[in-house]
Amino acid sequence: MELNLKAAEECRYDAVSLGEIMLRLDPGEGRIRTAREFKVWEGGGEYNVVRGLHKCFGLRTGVMTAFADNEVGKLMKDLIEQGGVDTSLICWKKTDGIGRVCRNGLNFTERGFGIRGAVGCSDRANTAISKATPDDFDFDYIFGKLGVRWLHTGGIYAALSEQSCETVIAACKAAKKYGTLVSYDLNYRPSMWSAIGGLEKAREVNREVAGYVDVMIGNEEDFTACLGLQVEGNDENLKELNLDGYYKMIAEAAKQYPNFKAIATTLRTVRTATVNDWKAICWADGKVYMSKAFDGLEILDRVGGGDSFASGLIYGLMTTGDPEQAVNYGAAHGALAMTTPGDTSMASKEEVESIIRNGSARVKR
């Protein structure tokens, strides 16, 4: 598989992300509605990927986002720096103290257990990043002078506002201008698109972005909603996945967007909130590669599992160029990430590679 990656020595960053980062408030084993205390984490669909690329896989990463310049924004910066991701590309926006001008996003998330599913309650309207314009990020400087080998962004960021739609398209255009590879996670959330044009707007924006994407990531609903593609024969409630229909959909996506070098998706069957079947597929060079299957995977916190899949996939593609190895890096990293709390991965590269080699969960002493 030929990616034509820029040389590492020519670039300051191996990978950067563009997207929203929120403060996650986690009630642990309890419920949001009855909590008396919360643990805080940082998290965001795009950011989680570059955080994993650095913390687990050791790559040089940075984040393009915006925060309201207040104490919560400074907390977010501190949390990001603890993960080792470069914060010098963050845009700081003045605010008025009560969030009328802009604010920082909050995300209340409970993990679920057994028959009780996970619950997310986000509070993210009017955030600083939703108001950010291409002028807030000097894309020519970032991609042209500093140098970036890989950009990761996605549909959650695109759906924040009309402005974020424009900014994500500008970023992808600039990345391609300077030879940076682009990955994009469709991550369709109908509630987020509803205020800015709904499904029609989601398709308009995502179809334009798709023309600049090298590695497209998404599940069956994402491809259907965002790109208008269909998966034949899928169960109406998506409890069982029709792989033959999946493969036909991927072939059609590759035909419509010949710029796609790889297309990947996770395949998750939810048995309970704490037991899922988990695996992934990756299309490249006209072939489909299936990862190792993690049937009956026991889960502590499923949030961010797909993002950790993406970071493992990207690492595998960047370092091996082998889509079969890459999809196994992704599936193993995502599986490990779901065994620990928080949006972001606490796994090491050695643990990921051990799982790929059929490592066990025995005590290591």
Side-chain angles (χ1 to χ4, degrees):
M1 180 181 180
E2 189 60 53
L3 287 173
N4 296 316
L5 266 174
K6 296 175 75 172
E9 58 269 20
E10 297 175 2
C11 300
R12 177 170 175 177
Y13 299 103
D14 293 308
V16 298
S17 68
L18 171 65
E20 182 176 58
I21 307 174
M22 294 189 290
L23 187 68
R24 171 176 169 176
L25 292 101
D26 184 344
E29 296 176 351
R31 305 295 305 270
I32 297 167
R33 66 181 70 168
T34 57
R36 297 298 178 267
E37 60 182 15
F38 293 90
K39 193 163 190 173
V40 295
W41 316 85
E42 85 282 20
E46 299 81 16
Y47 160 77
N48 294 342
V49 176
V50 294
R51 207 266 195 190
L53 282 170
H54 172 74
K55 198 67 175 177
C56 179
F57 297 109
L59 301 188
R60 303 162 299 158
T61 64
V63 60
M64 293 186 289
T65 193
F67 291 135
D69 192 358
N70 59 22
E71 294 303 303
V72 176
K74 292 171 185 175
L75 170 59
M76 297 297 296
K77 178 176 182 285
D78 185 70
L79 290 167
I80 294 166
E81 288 175 339
Q82 290 179 47
V85 177
D86 183 70
T87 57
S88 64
L89 304 179
I90 292 174
C91 171
W92 292 93
K93 289 187 170 291
K94 290 184 178 180
T95 188
D96 57 358
I98 62 171
R100 282 176 300 198
V101 175
C102 68
R103 56 190 290 268
N104 297 304
L106 305 176
N107 184 25
F108 296 82
T109 304
E110 59 185 59
R111 304 172 199 168
F113 186 87
I115 60 172
R116 175 173 59 85
V119 175
C121 180
S122 61
D123 181 13
R124 67 201 307 179
N126 207 39
T127 56
I129 186 59
S130 73
K131 296 192 165 192
T133 72
D135 291 337
D136 288 318
F137 307 101
D138 189 339
F139 292 138
D140 287 319
Y141 175 72
I142 294 168
F143 294 109
K145 187 170 179 60
L146 295 179
V148 179
R149 303 178 77 202
W150 197 292
L151 167 68
H152 181 75
T153 186
I156 290 180
Y157 170 59
L160 287 178
S161 66
E162 291 272 6
Q163 184 57 64
S164 62
C165 293
E166 296 176 12
T167 304
V168 74
I169 291 168
C172 292
K173 284 183 178 179
K176 298 311 296 178
K177 175 182 175 181
Y178 292 104
T180 298
L181 267 72
V182 177
S183 58
Y184 188 85
D185 193 334
L186 288 163
N187 240 333
Y188 177 64
R189 306 283 175 86
S191 60
M192 293 182 66
W193 286 99
S194 62
I196 60 170
L199 181 60
E200 184 178 350
K201 182 67 173 180
R203 286 188 177 170
E204 174 192 332
V205 173
N206 284 293
R207 282 170 169 166
E208 182 168 358
V209 169
Y212 303 104
V213 170
D214 297 286
V215 177
M216 182 63 86
I217 301 168
N219 65 24
E220 67 285 351
E221 183 184 12
D222 297 331
F223 280 98
T224 298
C226 297
L227 300 182
L229 300 168
Q230 299 299 320
V231 181
E232 295 179 7
N234 248 11
D235 175 67
E236 183 179 353
N237 297 313
L238 305 178
K239 290 183 178 180
E240 298 293 338
L241 297 167
N242 172 32
L243 287 178
D244 288 338
Y246 243 84
Y247 297 155
K248 289 180 183 178
M249 181 274 291
I250 288 173
E252 181 60 28
K255 181 179 178 182
Q256 289 189 25
Y257 299 97
N259 49 291
F260 289 173
K261 292 181 171 67
I263 303 168
T265 186
T266 57
L267 303 174
R268 183 198 296 266
T269 301
V270 178
R271 304 301 179 188
T272 71
T274 36
V275 178
N276 291 183
D277 296 338
W278 168 265
K279 57 188 174 184
I281 57 175
C282 178
W283 171 94
D285 296 329
K287 298 179 181 178
V288 176
Y289 301 89
M290 177 79 73
S291 76
K292 174 184 175 180
F294 297 87
D295 292 332
L297 179 67
E298 293 178 289
I299 291 173
L300 178 66
D301 185 347
R302 67 167 281 170
V303 178
D307 303 329
S308 291
F309 163 75
S311 62
L313 176 81
I314 292 167
Y315 174 77
L317 291 174
M318 291 183 76
T319 57
T320 73
D322 182 340
E324 186 170 20
Q325 287 192 56
V327 75
N328 276 298
Y329 268 105
H333 189 223
L336 280 168
M338 291 186 288
T339 67
T340 54
D343 283 35
T344 57
S345 166
M346 297 182 186
S348 69
K349 182 163 75 83
E350 292 73 24
E351 288 173 330
V352 172
E353 290 174 342
S354 175
I355 294 298
I356 294 171
R357 295 192 303 266
N358 295 312
S360 74
R362 293 184 64 177
V363 175
K364 295 179 177 64
R365 294 177 178 171

